[in-house]
Amino acid sequence: HYYEKIDTDSTASTRQQAQEGNYWDSFLNLRFDYDTRNQRFQTSDGIRSRYFLDIPLDILTMDETINKIDEAIFLNKQVHHCLINAGKVVKIQNDEILKESVINSDIINADGMSIVWAVKFLGYKIKERVAGIDLMENLIRLAHKKKYCCFLQGEKEDFVKNVVSYYYVNYSEKI
């Protein structure tokens, strides 16, 4: 963990001034070394498998995540949010574009319980998992309550139409 405070003055650009504030950063550092070799030098039997991971992680609850996103909407700031689970952690190992996208996200939540358990195992305090589908439902509810407009995008048009139809029926045509 580390705590960072960013101060700006009147000579800073608008973008730099928007970054002013206090930040608490946590990193999920996992290192596994599975060694079944019969000896370390000139091995004749067994394998050695190493796994290293260094991903930033925000230790936020669902409510804290929603509040951060709501604040960004209010301040008209863009937010890049990412959820990580075991599948994404594995994929990051061989996908530099995905890894950069995750690392450069503004908010990174633990979506999978395996991530929550790993964080707890490493001695960090994490209150809960922030499931992607639950976060989306809560954000739609927030948008309805505060009269925000939503833009829904997906890979298949039929799927997006069904999602929009569901939210239209359950909230309003403004969604």
Side-chain angles (χ1 to χ4, degrees):
H1 302 295
Y2 67 89
Y3 179 79
E4 179 180 18
K5 182 175 184 191
I6 298 176
D7 293 315
T8 62
D9 61 25
S10 60
T11 62
S13 70
T14 305
R15 185 176 180 123
Q16 289 171 327
Q17 288 177 3
Q19 294 175 2
E20 185 171 42
N22 299 321
Y23 299 91
W24 178 259
D25 292 325
S26 297
F27 283 83
L28 179 59
N29 295 307
L30 296 175
R31 300 187 191 292
F32 297 106
D33 190 353
Y34 180 66
D35 193 349
T36 63
R37 299 175 299 172
N38 60 341
Q39 57 191 30
R40 292 180 188 251
F41 183 70
Q42 295 182 345
T43 303
S44 62
D45 188 34
I47 63 163
R48 183 174 193 186
S49 185
R50 293 181 184 177
Y51 182 76
F52 301 99
L53 177 66
D54 190 13
I55 297 176
L57 181 67
D58 291 299
I59 311 290
L60 299 173
T61 64
M62 177 70 75
D63 288 340
E64 291 167 335
T65 301
I66 291 167
N67 289 340
K68 279 185 138 265
I69 293 170
D70 187 30
E71 179 183 358
I73 293 169
F74 179 78
L75 297 172
N76 200 28
K77 289 183 179 180
Q78 180 177 333
V79 175
H80 180 186
H81 178 260
C82 181
L83 295 159
I84 59 170
N85 56 30
K88 193 172 287 179
V89 167
V90 170
K91 189 163 173 102
I92 282 173
Q93 300 307 301
N94 298 312
D95 187 335
E96 281 300 315
I97 294 171
L98 176 61
K99 186 174 185 176
E100 285 301 311
S101 177
V102 170
I103 288 172
N104 291 311
S105 295
D106 300 303
I107 303 171
I108 305 169
N109 288 117
D111 185 359
M113 279 309 297
S114 57
I115 301 299
V116 172
W117 292 330
V119 169
K120 286 182 177 182
F121 176 77
L122 294 170
Y124 298 103
K125 296 193 188 283
I126 186 168
K127 294 176 189 165
E128 64 187 17
R129 149 184 194 247
V130 178
I133 191 67
D134 296 337
L135 178 62
M136 181 174 172
E137 187 69 34
N138 284 315
L139 290 173
I140 294 291
R141 191 175 301 117
L142 174 73
H144 176 71
K145 178 182 167 188
K146 294 200 170 187
K147 310 260 188 276
Y148 295 151
C149 292
C150 294
F151 175 78
L152 301 174
Q153 181 180 359
E155 184 177 344
K156 297 185 178 182
E157 187 176 344
D158 289 346
F159 178 76
V160 175
K161 284 181 180 178
N162 287 337
V163 171
V164 169
S165 176
Y166 170 81
Y167 287 129
Y168 176 84
V169 168
N170 289 287
Y171 293 98
S172 76
E173 74 263 4
K174 300 284 184 181
I175 296 293

mmCIF file of all heavy atoms in Angstrom, residues 74-122:
data_model
loop_
_atom_site.group_PDB
_atom_site.id
_atom_site.type_symbol
_atom_site.label_atom_id
_atom_site.label_comp_id
_atom_site.label_asym_id
_atom_site.label_seq_id
_atom_site.Cartn_x
_atom_site.Cartn_y
_atom_site.Cartn_z
ATOM 1 N N PHE A 74 -20.518 13.696 -11.785
ATOM 2 C CA PHE A 74 -20.860 15.043 -11.335
ATOM 3 C C PHE A 74 -19.805 16.054 -11.790
ATOM 4 O O PHE A 74 -20.126 17.162 -12.210
ATOM 5 C CB PHE A 74 -21.014 15.071 -9.811
ATOM 6 C CG PHE A 74 -21.339 16.425 -9.273
ATOM 7 C CD1 PHE A 74 -22.624 16.929 -9.370
ATOM 8 C CD2 PHE A 74 -20.363 17.205 -8.670
ATOM 9 C CE1 PHE A 74 -22.929 18.200 -8.883
ATOM 10 C CE2 PHE A 74 -20.649 18.471 -8.183
ATOM 11 C CZ PHE A 74 -21.947 18.967 -8.292
ATOM 12 N N LEU A 75 -18.527 15.659 -11.722
ATOM 13 C CA LEU A 75 -17.430 16.554 -12.109
ATOM 14 C C LEU A 75 -17.121 16.486 -13.611
ATOM 15 O O LEU A 75 -16.173 17.106 -14.072
ATOM 16 C CB LEU A 75 -16.172 16.212 -11.304
ATOM 17 C CG LEU A 75 -16.282 16.417 -9.795
ATOM 18 C CD1 LEU A 75 -15.047 15.866 -9.091
ATOM 19 C CD2 LEU A 75 -16.490 17.895 -9.470
ATOM 20 N N ASN A 76 -17.932 15.711 -14.339
ATOM 21 C CA ASN A 76 -17.759 15.551 -15.786
ATOM 22 C C ASN A 76 -16.371 15.004 -16.137
ATOM 23 O O ASN A 76 -15.727 15.448 -17.073
ATOM 24 C CB ASN A 76 -18.036 16.868 -16.521
ATOM 25 C CG ASN A 76 -18.350 16.644 -17.973
ATOM 26 O OD1 ASN A 76 -18.868 15.587 -18.348
ATOM 27 N ND2 ASN A 76 -18.031 17.618 -18.801
ATOM 28 N N LYS A 77 -15.927 14.029 -15.346
ATOM 29 C CA LYS A 77 -14.632 13.380 -15.575
ATOM 30 C C LYS A 77 -14.850 11.987 -16.147
ATOM 31 O O LYS A 77 -15.789 11.288 -15.766
ATOM 32 C CB LYS A 77 -13.855 13.233 -14.264
ATOM 33 C CG LYS A 77 -13.327 14.493 -13.686
ATOM 34 C CD LYS A 77 -12.517 14.157 -12.441
ATOM 35 C CE LYS A 77 -11.914 15.377 -11.802
ATOM 36 N NZ LYS A 77 -11.139 15.031 -10.603
ATOM 37 N N GLN A 78 -13.980 11.597 -17.014
ATOM 38 C CA GLN A 78 -14.013 10.238 -17.550
ATOM 39 C C GLN A 78 -13.411 9.281 -16.534
ATOM 40 O O GLN A 78 -12.429 9.603 -15.871
ATOM 41 C CB GLN A 78 -13.213 10.179 -18.847
ATOM 42 C CG GLN A 78 -13.197 8.802 -19.467
ATOM 43 C CD GLN A 78 -12.459 8.787 -20.792
ATOM 44 O OE1 GLN A 78 -12.384 9.775 -21.486
ATOM 45 N NE2 GLN A 78 -11.907 7.653 -21.123
ATOM 46 N N VAL A 79 -14.004 8.102 -16.399
ATOM 47 C CA VAL A 79 -13.499 7.086 -15.481
ATOM 48 C C VAL A 79 -13.330 5.783 -16.255
ATOM 49 O O VAL A 79 -14.256 5.325 -16.909
ATOM 50 C CB VAL A 79 -14.466 6.842 -14.303
ATOM 51 C CG1 VAL A 79 -13.987 5.694 -13.434
ATOM 52 C CG2 VAL A 79 -14.646 8.084 -13.485
ATOM 53 N N HIS A 80 -12.145 5.209 -16.170
ATOM 54 C CA HIS A 80 -11.902 3.893 -16.755
ATOM 55 C C HIS A 80 -11.936 2.913 -15.597
ATOM 56 O O HIS A 80 -11.054 2.906 -14.752
ATOM 57 C CB HIS A 80 -10.556 3.875 -17.464
ATOM 58 C CG HIS A 80 -10.231 2.556 -18.089
ATOM 59 N ND1 HIS A 80 -9.029 2.303 -18.667
ATOM 60 C CD2 HIS A 80 -10.940 1.413 -18.234
ATOM 61 C CE1 HIS A 80 -9.001 1.071 -19.130
ATOM 62 N NE2 HIS A 80 -10.153 0.506 -18.874
ATOM 63 N N HIS A 81 -12.965 2.093 -15.560
ATOM 64 C CA HIS A 81 -13.170 1.137 -14.481
ATOM 65 C C HIS A 81 -12.879 -0.266 -14.983
ATOM 66 O O HIS A 81 -13.216 -0.618 -16.108
ATOM 67 C CB HIS A 81 -14.613 1.220 -13.978
ATOM 68 C CG HIS A 81 -14.904 0.233 -12.905
ATOM 69 N ND1 HIS A 81 -15.561 -0.948 -13.148
ATOM 70 C CD2 HIS A 81 -14.614 0.235 -11.578
ATOM 71 C CE1 HIS A 81 -15.665 -1.624 -12.025
ATOM 72 N NE2 HIS A 81 -15.110 -0.932 -11.060
ATOM 73 N N CYS A 82 -12.257 -1.076 -14.143
ATOM 74 C CA CYS A 82 -11.925 -2.442 -14.521
ATOM 75 C C CYS A 82 -12.199 -3.371 -13.352
ATOM 76 O O CYS A 82 -11.935 -3.030 -12.204
ATOM 77 C CB CYS A 82 -10.453 -2.519 -14.910
ATOM 78 S SG CYS A 82 -9.955 -4.156 -15.428
ATOM 79 N N LEU A 83 -12.732 -4.529 -13.678
ATOM 80 C CA LEU A 83 -12.948 -5.583 -12.691
ATOM 81 C C LEU A 83 -11.984 -6.713 -13.001
ATOM 82 O O LEU A 83 -11.810 -7.077 -14.165
ATOM 83 C CB LEU A 83 -14.380 -6.100 -12.778
ATOM 84 C CG LEU A 83 -15.455 -5.085 -12.415
ATOM 85 C CD1 LEU A 83 -16.785 -5.478 -13.006
ATOM 86 C CD2 LEU A 83 -15.557 -4.963 -10.907
ATOM 87 N N ILE A 84 -11.337 -7.253 -11.960
ATOM 88 C CA ILE A 84 -10.439 -8.380 -12.216
ATOM 89 C C ILE A 84 -10.947 -9.629 -11.513
ATOM 90 O O ILE A 84 -11.488 -9.574 -10.417
ATOM 91 C CB ILE A 84 -8.973 -8.089 -11.822
ATOM 92 C CG1 ILE A 84 -8.822 -7.734 -10.354
ATOM 93 C CG2 ILE A 84 -8.372 -7.021 -12.705
ATOM 94 C CD1 ILE A 84 -7.382 -7.682 -9.894
ATOM 95 N N ASN A 85 -10.776 -10.732 -12.195
ATOM 96 C CA ASN A 85 -11.101 -12.050 -11.662
ATOM 97 C C ASN A 85 -9.966 -12.984 -12.068
ATOM 98 O O ASN A 85 -9.011 -12.562 -12.731
ATOM 99 C CB ASN A 85 -12.463 -12.532 -12.167
ATOM 100 C CG ASN A 85 -12.538 -12.550 -13.678
ATOM 101 O OD1 ASN A 85 -11.547 -12.738 -14.376
ATOM 102 N ND2 ASN A 85 -13.730 -12.346 -14.210
ATOM 103 N N ALA A 86 -10.053 -14.241 -11.692
ATOM 104 C CA ALA A 86 -8.967 -15.183 -11.968
ATOM 105 C C ALA A 86 -8.700 -15.304 -13.465
ATOM 106 O O ALA A 86 -7.545 -15.348 -13.893
ATOM 107 C CB ALA A 86 -9.297 -16.548 -11.374
ATOM 108 N N GLY A 87 -9.741 -15.342 -14.270
ATOM 109 C CA GLY A 87 -9.564 -15.459 -15.716
ATOM 110 C C GLY A 87 -8.791 -14.303 -16.302
ATOM 111 O O GLY A 87 -7.901 -14.485 -17.148
ATOM 112 N N LYS A 88 -9.115 -13.100 -15.857
ATOM 113 C CA LYS A 88 -8.414 -11.921 -16.370
ATOM 114 C C LYS A 88 -6.969 -11.899 -15.900
ATOM 115 O O LYS A 88 -6.061 -11.532 -16.641
ATOM 116 C CB LYS A 88 -9.137 -10.644 -15.953
ATOM 117 C CG LYS A 88 -8.640 -9.414 -16.703
ATOM 118 C CD LYS A 88 -9.507 -8.196 -16.427
ATOM 119 C CE LYS A 88 -10.827 -8.333 -17.121
ATOM 120 N NZ LYS A 88 -11.726 -7.210 -16.887
ATOM 121 N N VAL A 89 -6.738 -12.332 -14.664
ATOM 122 C CA VAL A 89 -5.375 -12.386 -14.131
ATOM 123 C C VAL A 89 -4.514 -13.324 -14.973
ATOM 124 O O VAL A 89 -3.374 -13.005 -15.312
ATOM 125 C CB VAL A 89 -5.384 -12.820 -12.651
ATOM 126 C CG1 VAL A 89 -3.994 -13.181 -12.170
ATOM 127 C CG2 VAL A 89 -5.969 -11.713 -11.782
ATOM 128 N N VAL A 90 -5.070 -14.473 -15.351
ATOM 129 C CA VAL A 90 -4.338 -15.417 -16.190
ATOM 130 C C VAL A 90 -4.084 -14.813 -17.569
ATOM 131 O O VAL A 90 -2.973 -14.877 -18.092
ATOM 132 C CB VAL A 90 -5.106 -16.758 -16.306
ATOM 133 C CG1 VAL A 90 -4.491 -17.655 -17.360
ATOM 134 C CG2 VAL A 90 -5.135 -17.458 -14.954
ATOM 135 N N LYS A 91 -5.097 -14.197 -18.150
ATOM 136 C CA LYS A 91 -4.966 -13.619 -19.495
ATOM 137 C C LYS A 91 -3.940 -12.477 -19.529
ATOM 138 O O LYS A 91 -3.223 -12.304 -20.505
ATOM 139 C CB LYS A 91 -6.323 -13.140 -19.997
ATOM 140 C CG LYS A 91 -6.312 -12.743 -21.452
ATOM 141 C CD LYS A 91 -7.709 -12.670 -22.012
ATOM 142 C CE LYS A 91 -7.667 -12.118 -23.388
ATOM 143 N NZ LYS A 91 -7.787 -13.014 -24.452
ATOM 144 N N ILE A 92 -3.855 -11.713 -18.446
ATOM 145 C CA ILE A 92 -2.908 -10.595 -18.359
ATOM 146 C C ILE A 92 -1.465 -11.065 -18.548
ATOM 147 O O ILE A 92 -0.630 -10.331 -19.059
ATOM 148 C CB ILE A 92 -3.079 -9.853 -17.013
ATOM 149 C CG1 ILE A 92 -4.296 -8.942 -17.072
ATOM 150 C CG2 ILE A 92 -1.842 -9.061 -16.630
ATOM 151 C CD1 ILE A 92 -4.644 -8.300 -15.753
ATOM 152 N N GLN A 93 -1.181 -12.281 -18.140
ATOM 153 C CA GLN A 93 0.190 -12.795 -18.209
ATOM 154 C C GLN A 93 0.740 -12.806 -19.636
ATOM 155 O O GLN A 93 1.944 -12.666 -19.835
ATOM 156 C CB GLN A 93 0.262 -14.207 -17.627
ATOM 157 C CG GLN A 93 -0.170 -14.294 -16.180
ATOM 158 C CD GLN A 93 0.565 -13.319 -15.282
ATOM 159 O OE1 GLN A 93 1.787 -13.347 -15.184
ATOM 160 N NE2 GLN A 93 -0.177 -12.438 -14.639
ATOM 161 N N ASN A 94 -0.137 -12.960 -20.632
ATOM 162 C CA ASN A 94 0.314 -13.051 -22.020
ATOM 163 C C ASN A 94 -0.284 -11.992 -22.924
ATOM 164 O O ASN A 94 -0.140 -12.080 -24.147
ATOM 165 C CB ASN A 94 -0.029 -14.440 -22.574
ATOM 166 C CG ASN A 94 0.674 -15.534 -21.811
ATOM 167 O OD1 ASN A 94 1.869 -15.446 -21.567
ATOM 168 N ND2 ASN A 94 -0.065 -16.539 -21.396
ATOM 169 N N ASP A 95 -0.971 -11.014 -22.366
ATOM 170 C CA ASP A 95 -1.626 -9.989 -23.181
ATOM 171 C C ASP A 95 -1.232 -8.604 -22.659
ATOM 172 O O ASP A 95 -1.838 -8.087 -21.724
ATOM 173 C CB ASP A 95 -3.145 -10.190 -23.119
ATOM 174 C CG ASP A 95 -3.916 -9.294 -24.065
ATOM 175 O OD1 ASP A 95 -3.418 -8.216 -24.428
ATOM 176 O OD2 ASP A 95 -5.045 -9.687 -24.428
ATOM 177 N N GLU A 96 -0.216 -8.022 -23.269
ATOM 178 C CA GLU A 96 0.311 -6.731 -22.809
ATOM 179 C C GLU A 96 -0.711 -5.606 -22.954
ATOM 180 O O GLU A 96 -0.741 -4.692 -22.127
ATOM 181 C CB GLU A 96 1.597 -6.371 -23.556
ATOM 182 C CG GLU A 96 2.821 -7.089 -23.039
ATOM 183 C CD GLU A 96 3.116 -6.794 -21.571
ATOM 184 O OE1 GLU A 96 3.063 -5.620 -21.148
ATOM 185 O OE2 GLU A 96 3.390 -7.750 -20.827
ATOM 186 N N ILE A 97 -1.539 -5.652 -23.993
ATOM 187 C CA ILE A 97 -2.547 -4.601 -24.190
ATOM 188 C C ILE A 97 -3.567 -4.648 -23.052
ATOM 189 O O ILE A 97 -3.921 -3.614 -22.473
ATOM 190 C CB ILE A 97 -3.230 -4.742 -25.573
ATOM 191 C CG1 ILE A 97 -2.204 -4.480 -26.683
ATOM 192 C CG2 ILE A 97 -4.410 -3.787 -25.695
ATOM 193 C CD1 ILE A 97 -2.686 -4.800 -28.075
ATOM 194 N N LEU A 98 -4.033 -5.848 -22.716
ATOM 195 C CA LEU A 98 -4.969 -5.994 -21.600
ATOM 196 C C LEU A 98 -4.311 -5.558 -20.299
ATOM 197 O O LEU A 98 -4.918 -4.839 -19.500
ATOM 198 C CB LEU A 98 -5.458 -7.437 -21.490
ATOM 199 C CG LEU A 98 -6.377 -7.741 -20.300
ATOM 200 C CD1 LEU A 98 -7.649 -6.907 -20.365
ATOM 201 C CD2 LEU A 98 -6.704 -9.229 -20.263
ATOM 202 N N LYS A 99 -3.076 -5.964 -20.085
ATOM 203 C CA LYS A 99 -2.359 -5.603 -18.858
ATOM 204 C C LYS A 99 -2.247 -4.087 -18.723
ATOM 205 O O LYS A 99 -2.515 -3.528 -17.656
ATOM 206 C CB LYS A 99 -0.971 -6.235 -18.836
ATOM 207 C CG LYS A 99 -0.230 -6.016 -17.542
ATOM 208 C CD LYS A 99 1.078 -6.774 -17.522
ATOM 209 C CE LYS A 99 1.759 -6.651 -16.178
ATOM 210 N NZ LYS A 99 2.977 -7.444 -16.104
ATOM 211 N N GLU A 100 -1.881 -3.400 -19.785
ATOM 212 C CA GLU A 100 -1.771 -1.937 -19.746
ATOM 213 C C GLU A 100 -3.130 -1.305 -19.480
ATOM 214 O O GLU A 100 -3.230 -0.328 -18.743
ATOM 215 C CB GLU A 100 -1.175 -1.408 -21.056
ATOM 216 C CG GLU A 100 0.310 -1.633 -21.178
ATOM 217 C CD GLU A 100 1.112 -0.973 -20.058
ATOM 218 O OE1 GLU A 100 0.895 0.216 -19.764
ATOM 219 O OE2 GLU A 100 1.944 -1.670 -19.451
ATOM 220 N N SER A 101 -4.173 -1.852 -20.093
ATOM 221 C CA SER A 101 -5.522 -1.331 -19.874
ATOM 222 C C SER A 101 -5.921 -1.462 -18.408
ATOM 223 O O SER A 101 -6.453 -0.521 -17.813
ATOM 224 C CB SER A 101 -6.522 -2.079 -20.763
ATOM 225 O OG SER A 101 -7.835 -1.638 -20.503
ATOM 226 N N VAL A 102 -5.650 -2.603 -17.820
ATOM 227 C CA VAL A 102 -5.992 -2.827 -16.407
ATOM 228 C C VAL A 102 -5.175 -1.909 -15.509
ATOM 229 O O VAL A 102 -5.716 -1.203 -14.661
ATOM 230 C CB VAL A 102 -5.785 -4.307 -16.012
ATOM 231 C CG1 VAL A 102 -5.899 -4.491 -14.502
ATOM 232 C CG2 VAL A 102 -6.778 -5.201 -16.737
ATOM 233 N N ILE A 103 -3.870 -1.905 -15.699
ATOM 234 C CA ILE A 103 -2.975 -1.124 -14.837
ATOM 235 C C ILE A 103 -3.284 0.370 -14.902
ATOM 236 O O ILE A 103 -3.175 1.079 -13.910
ATOM 237 C CB ILE A 103 -1.505 -1.408 -15.196
ATOM 238 C CG1 ILE A 103 -1.136 -2.813 -14.732
ATOM 239 C CG2 ILE A 103 -0.564 -0.381 -14.578
ATOM 240 C CD1 ILE A 103 0.221 -3.285 -15.192
ATOM 241 N N ASN A 104 -3.711 0.854 -16.067
ATOM 242 C CA ASN A 104 -3.989 2.281 -16.231
ATOM 243 C C ASN A 104 -5.427 2.666 -15.935
ATOM 244 O O ASN A 104 -5.828 3.804 -16.175
ATOM 245 C CB ASN A 104 -3.596 2.720 -17.645
ATOM 246 C CG ASN A 104 -2.095 2.692 -17.828
ATOM 247 O OD1 ASN A 104 -1.350 3.221 -17.009
ATOM 248 N ND2 ASN A 104 -1.640 2.048 -18.888
ATOM 249 N N SER A 105 -6.215 1.747 -15.395
ATOM 250 C CA SER A 105 -7.597 2.054 -15.042
ATOM 251 C C SER A 105 -7.635 2.980 -13.832
ATOM 252 O O SER A 105 -6.750 2.952 -12.979
ATOM 253 C CB SER A 105 -8.359 0.765 -14.718
ATOM 254 O OG SER A 105 -8.457 -0.042 -15.854
ATOM 255 N N ASP A 106 -8.687 3.783 -13.760
ATOM 256 C CA ASP A 106 -8.859 4.688 -12.626
ATOM 257 C C ASP A 106 -9.337 3.952 -11.381
ATOM 258 O O ASP A 106 -8.981 4.301 -10.266
ATOM 259 C CB ASP A 106 -9.872 5.787 -12.982
ATOM 260 C CG ASP A 106 -9.422 6.603 -14.169
ATOM 261 O OD1 ASP A 106 -8.323 7.178 -14.109
ATOM 262 O OD2 ASP A 106 -10.162 6.656 -15.169
ATOM 263 N N ILE A 107 -10.183 2.943 -11.589
ATOM 264 C CA ILE A 107 -10.706 2.134 -10.497
ATOM 265 C C ILE A 107 -10.557 0.667 -10.902
ATOM 266 O O ILE A 107 -10.985 0.282 -11.991
ATOM 267 C CB ILE A 107 -12.191 2.431 -10.207
ATOM 268 C CG1 ILE A 107 -12.411 3.904 -9.884
ATOM 269 C CG2 ILE A 107 -12.699 1.553 -9.061
ATOM 270 C CD1 ILE A 107 -13.891 4.295 -9.791
ATOM 271 N N ILE A 108 -9.962 -0.133 -10.027
ATOM 272 C CA ILE A 108 -9.808 -1.565 -10.284
ATOM 273 C C ILE A 108 -10.373 -2.310 -9.082
ATOM 274 O O ILE A 108 -9.851 -2.215 -7.975
ATOM 275 C CB ILE A 108 -8.324 -1.945 -10.500
ATOM 276 C CG1 ILE A 108 -7.709 -1.104 -11.611
ATOM 277 C CG2 ILE A 108 -8.207 -3.435 -10.802
ATOM 278 C CD1 ILE A 108 -6.201 -1.218 -11.710
ATOM 279 N N ASN A 109 -11.466 -3.032 -9.309
ATOM 280 C CA ASN A 109 -12.119 -3.784 -8.243
ATOM 281 C C ASN A 109 -11.882 -5.281 -8.397
ATOM 282 O O ASN A 109 -11.699 -5.779 -9.500
ATOM 283 C CB ASN A 109 -13.639 -3.563 -8.263
ATOM 284 C CG ASN A 109 -14.050 -2.190 -7.810
ATOM 285 O OD1 ASN A 109 -14.628 -1.446 -8.581
ATOM 286 N ND2 ASN A 109 -13.769 -1.832 -6.578
ATOM 287 N N ALA A 110 -11.968 -5.973 -7.273
ATOM 288 C CA ALA A 110 -11.908 -7.435 -7.258
ATOM 289 C C ALA A 110 -13.306 -7.955 -7.572
ATOM 290 O O ALA A 110 -14.236 -7.756 -6.793
ATOM 291 C CB ALA A 110 -11.446 -7.935 -5.895
ATOM 292 N N ASP A 111 -13.462 -8.606 -8.712
ATOM 293 C CA ASP A 111 -14.753 -9.157 -9.118
ATOM 294 C C ASP A 111 -14.871 -10.606 -8.653
ATOM 295 O O ASP A 111 -15.882 -11.013 -8.120
ATOM 296 C CB ASP A 111 -14.907 -9.062 -10.636
ATOM 297 C CG ASP A 111 -16.272 -9.513 -11.134
ATOM 298 O OD1 ASP A 111 -17.111 -9.921 -10.323
ATOM 299 O OD2 ASP A 111 -16.497 -9.466 -12.350
ATOM 300 N N GLY A 112 -13.849 -11.393 -8.832
ATOM 301 C CA GLY A 112 -13.902 -12.807 -8.477
ATOM 302 C C GLY A 112 -13.543 -13.055 -7.029
ATOM 303 O O GLY A 112 -12.699 -12.371 -6.449
ATOM 304 N N MET A 113 -14.190 -14.063 -6.435
ATOM 305 C CA MET A 113 -13.887 -14.425 -5.053
ATOM 306 C C MET A 113 -12.450 -14.921 -4.915
ATOM 307 O O MET A 113 -11.841 -14.752 -3.861
ATOM 308 C CB MET A 113 -14.863 -15.487 -4.531
ATOM 309 C CG MET A 113 -16.195 -14.912 -4.080
ATOM 310 S SD MET A 113 -16.087 -13.526 -2.913
ATOM 311 C CE MET A 113 -15.308 -14.270 -1.499
ATOM 312 N N SER A 114 -11.895 -15.506 -5.966
ATOM 313 C CA SER A 114 -10.498 -15.959 -5.882
ATOM 314 C C SER A 114 -9.563 -14.780 -5.644
ATOM 315 O O SER A 114 -8.570 -14.900 -4.925
ATOM 316 C CB SER A 114 -10.105 -16.716 -7.151
ATOM 317 O OG SER A 114 -10.299 -15.897 -8.288
ATOM 318 N N ILE A 115 -9.879 -13.637 -6.220
ATOM 319 C CA ILE A 115 -9.074 -12.427 -5.999
ATOM 320 C C ILE A 115 -9.248 -11.958 -4.555
ATOM 321 O O ILE A 115 -8.276 -11.613 -3.878
ATOM 322 C CB ILE A 115 -9.453 -11.309 -6.989
ATOM 323 C CG1 ILE A 115 -9.257 -11.768 -8.441
ATOM 324 C CG2 ILE A 115 -8.678 -10.031 -6.703
ATOM 325 C CD1 ILE A 115 -7.837 -12.143 -8.801
ATOM 326 N N VAL A 116 -10.477 -11.950 -4.076
ATOM 327 C CA VAL A 116 -10.738 -11.544 -2.686
ATOM 328 C C VAL A 116 -9.973 -12.457 -1.723
ATOM 329 O O VAL A 116 -9.317 -11.987 -0.794
ATOM 330 C CB VAL A 116 -12.257 -11.567 -2.377
ATOM 331 C CG1 VAL A 116 -12.526 -11.338 -0.897
ATOM 332 C CG2 VAL A 116 -12.979 -10.526 -3.217
ATOM 333 N N TRP A 117 -10.026 -13.761 -1.958
ATOM 334 C CA TRP A 117 -9.316 -14.701 -1.085
ATOM 335 C C TRP A 117 -7.802 -14.494 -1.158
ATOM 336 O O TRP A 117 -7.116 -14.556 -0.145
ATOM 337 C CB TRP A 117 -9.667 -16.139 -1.440
ATOM 338 C CG TRP A 117 -11.088 -16.510 -1.137
ATOM 339 C CD1 TRP A 117 -11.887 -16.008 -0.137
ATOM 340 C CD2 TRP A 117 -11.888 -17.453 -1.841
ATOM 341 N NE1 TRP A 117 -13.130 -16.572 -0.177
ATOM 342 C CE2 TRP A 117 -13.166 -17.480 -1.218
ATOM 343 C CE3 TRP A 117 -11.674 -18.275 -2.939
ATOM 344 C CZ2 TRP A 117 -14.195 -18.293 -1.659
ATOM 345 C CZ3 TRP A 117 -12.712 -19.096 -3.364
ATOM 346 C CH2 TRP A 117 -13.948 -19.103 -2.736
ATOM 347 N N ALA A 118 -7.277 -14.260 -2.362
ATOM 348 C CA ALA A 118 -5.834 -14.030 -2.517
ATOM 349 C C ALA A 118 -5.410 -12.771 -1.772
ATOM 350 O O ALA A 118 -4.381 -12.756 -1.094
ATOM 351 C CB ALA A 118 -5.464 -13.920 -3.994
ATOM 352 N N VAL A 119 -6.206 -11.713 -1.873
ATOM 353 C CA VAL A 119 -5.900 -10.456 -1.185
ATOM 354 C C VAL A 119 -5.897 -10.674 0.327
ATOM 355 O O VAL A 119 -4.996 -10.224 1.024
ATOM 356 C CB VAL A 119 -6.903 -9.353 -1.604
ATOM 357 C CG1 VAL A 119 -6.782 -8.131 -0.721
ATOM 358 C CG2 VAL A 119 -6.700 -8.981 -3.064
ATOM 359 N N LYS A 120 -6.888 -11.392 0.823
ATOM 360 C CA LYS A 120 -6.951 -11.681 2.263
ATOM 361 C C LYS A 120 -5.781 -12.563 2.688
ATOM 362 O O LYS A 120 -5.188 -12.352 3.746
ATOM 363 C CB LYS A 120 -8.279 -12.339 2.618
ATOM 364 C CG LYS A 120 -9.437 -11.371 2.598
ATOM 365 C CD LYS A 120 -10.739 -12.036 3.012
ATOM 366 C CE LYS A 120 -11.854 -11.010 3.058
ATOM 367 N NZ LYS A 120 -13.129 -11.592 3.498
ATOM 368 N N PHE A 121 -5.439 -13.551 1.859
ATOM 369 C CA PHE A 121 -4.312 -14.438 2.147
ATOM 370 C C PHE A 121 -3.009 -13.647 2.272
ATOM 371 O O PHE A 121 -2.150 -13.951 3.099
ATOM 372 C CB PHE A 121 -4.184 -15.490 1.045
ATOM 373 C CG PHE A 121 -2.999 -16.396 1.203
ATOM 374 C CD1 PHE A 121 -3.017 -17.430 2.133
ATOM 375 C CD2 PHE A 121 -1.860 -16.224 0.433
ATOM 376 C CE1 PHE A 121 -1.931 -18.267 2.286
ATOM 377 C CE2 PHE A 121 -0.759 -17.052 0.570
ATOM 378 C CZ PHE A 121 -0.798 -18.081 1.498
ATOM 379 N N LEU A 122 -2.874 -12.600 1.454
ATOM 380 C CA LEU A 122 -1.668 -11.776 1.480
ATOM 381 C C LEU A 122 -1.682 -10.760 2.616
ATOM 382 O O LEU A 122 -0.741 -9.986 2.772
ATOM 383 C CB LEU A 122 -1.487 -11.065 0.135
ATOM 384 C CG LEU A 122 -1.196 -12.008 -1.033
ATOM 385 C CD1 LEU A 122 -1.285 -11.262 -2.365
ATOM 386 C CD2 LEU A 122 0.172 -12.640 -0.877
#
